[in-house]
Amino acid sequence: MAWLTPLFLLAVLAGAAIEWWLAERQAAAAASHRGEVPAPFADSISKEQHAKAADYTVAKVRLARIGLLIDTALTLALTLGGGIALIDALWRNVHLAQPWLGLAVIGTVALAIRLVNMPLGLWRTFVLEARFGFNRTTVPLYLTDLAKTLILTVAIGGPLLAATLLLMERAGRWWWLWAWGLWLAVMLVMAWAWPAFIAPLFNRFSPLQDQSLKARIEALLERCGFTSRGVFVVDSSRRSSHGNAYFTGIGRHKRIVFFDTLLDTLGAPEVEAVLAHELGHFRLKHVRQRLLVSVTAVFSGLALLGWLATQSGFYRALGVPTPSTHAALLLFVLAVPAFTFFLTPLSSAWSRRHEFQADAFASQHASAMELASALVKLHRDNASTLTPDPVYAAFYYSHPTPLTRITKLRAQAAAT
């Protein structure tokens, strides 16, 4: 598999070049339209707010380019540069048996990646986000979140990783099928456990207290034939002023969660319209479709890994002279994104199609005009650029561009 080395290198460098080029286009588009608010937004967004969104976009792009350079260098250093091979050789001197050797090597690589990326994350939170007035995370809260995340990663990820390594070692040729079943079971358990046990470790979730809004939401749920375990408000304002809303949980255990910052910004009819959009994703089976795609992708990926793990050339081509189960996992996790990156536009286009469909659903069960109004406020308060580069948006955006989406919603409202 000597051909894999140049192919992997080409994929990494080509992907990085495309990302850099797209980032340049996005920054240029935001900066060139900085002084003029698009006409459909002129009554809702001031020139100062529009300029802030442009500056925020440019600042995020500049930071992302630094991250791109770091990620590209780190990927090549760990693979072709021999980083994984070096860490593996050092741990082999301790004479650990599997799965402990694999856990030690993978844990060390994961820790190294985290440490390398930590300065950029700190800068993003405490400098960039603070500069534009979004950050509310304190240093103690940041450190507490970091400690909780590390504990959960070890407590949940450690046993799952150990079980996967043992399956690779002892379950024979079809180990990957058993691993897929294990990962699927864990995904379902996590979807159930996250809202009830894990998310409350980081945030406080309180039942919605606004009775008029609650009644409005319950009426909407009944119209849409949707059941949930309650409507909750999360104290996201402890960390950021950005607003959002989401569903969590599975089956009859689904919860509706609003950021407190969102409720501070939107009126009741706008909240109802936003929720109707999210309900549309469920009623139109978008969530189920995405879950099936995810499950299929994991199945296909593990099947491919099952074959690659038996090919000694796979290890040598990516910088590891000694084959092992943990090296196979690490190389696969680092190499696959270099190739799947080129599928991003397809995934983005599929997601945008779902967003348009959910908007149409919301227009039928709530108000298209109120949804448009809510989106304008969210773009304004989150300092999202209203003038993205069309090529960048086509490649990355999981949602339609603001102008396209809101113009269509206003047209739908005028037609009713």
Side-chain angles (χ1 to χ4, degrees), residues 67 69 73 100 117 125 157 250 283 298-299 383 399:
L69 293 176
W100 311 114
N117 284 302
T125 300
I250 58 175
R283 298 300 294 170
V298 172
F299 179 88
H399 289 62

Side-chain angles (χ1 to χ4, degrees), residues 241-285:
S241 62
H242 290 298
N244 206 347
Y246 64 92
F247 285 99
T248 185
I250 58 175
R252 296 181 180 274
H253 298 280
K254 293 187 291 289
R255 288 184 175 185
I256 300 167
V257 179
F258 292 110
F259 285 25
D260 55 357
T261 49
L262 182 80
L263 297 181
D264 290 339
T265 300
L266 304 184
E270 294 168 328
V271 172
E272 179 187 35
V274 170
L275 179 56
H277 170 91
E278 297 301 331
L279 288 173
H281 286 306
F282 277 91
R283 298 300 294 170
L284 299 173
K285 298 182 172 57

Side-chain angles (χ1 to χ4, degrees), residues 363 368-369 372 404-416:
S363 299
M369 188 59 73
T404 300
R405 187 179 183 187
I406 292 170
T407 300
K408 189 168 185 176
L409 282 168
R410 288 174 174 172
Q412 290 172 343
T416 57

Side-chain angles (χ1 to χ4, degrees), residues 305-383:
L305 176 58
W307 176 72
L308 290 173
T310 65
Q311 308 298 309
S312 58
F314 168 66
Y315 302 89
R316 292 195 300 270
L318 296 180
V320 177
T322 306
S324 64
T325 53
H326 54 272
L329 273 176
L330 282 170
L331 292 175
F332 188 78
V333 169
L334 288 171
V336 165
F339 298 101
T340 57
F341 166 76
F342 300 99
L343 299 176
T344 303
L346 296 178
S347 173
S348 299
W350 187 46
S351 178
R352 288 194 299 271
R353 182 170 179 267
H354 283 175
E355 294 302 324
F356 277 129
Q357 292 173 346
D359 280 351
F361 180 91
S363 299
Q364 295 171 0
H365 294 84
S367 167
M369 188 59 73
E370 293 294 348
L371 180 56
S373 174
L375 291 173
V376 169
K377 290 182 179 180
L378 289 173
H379 282 291
R380 179 196 66 199
D381 295 343
N382 289 327

Side-chain angles (χ1 to χ4, degrees), residues 154-189:
V154 173
I156 299 173
L160 177 60
L161 179 58
T164 302
L165 291 170
L166 286 174
L167 286 172
M168 293 179 73
E169 288 278 346
R170 304 176 185 179
R173 177 182 176 184
W174 299 99
W175 68 264
W176 58 271
L177 195 57
W178 293 101
W180 178 71
L182 173 64
W183 281 66
L184 182 58
V186 171
M187 285 172 58
L188 293 174
V189 170

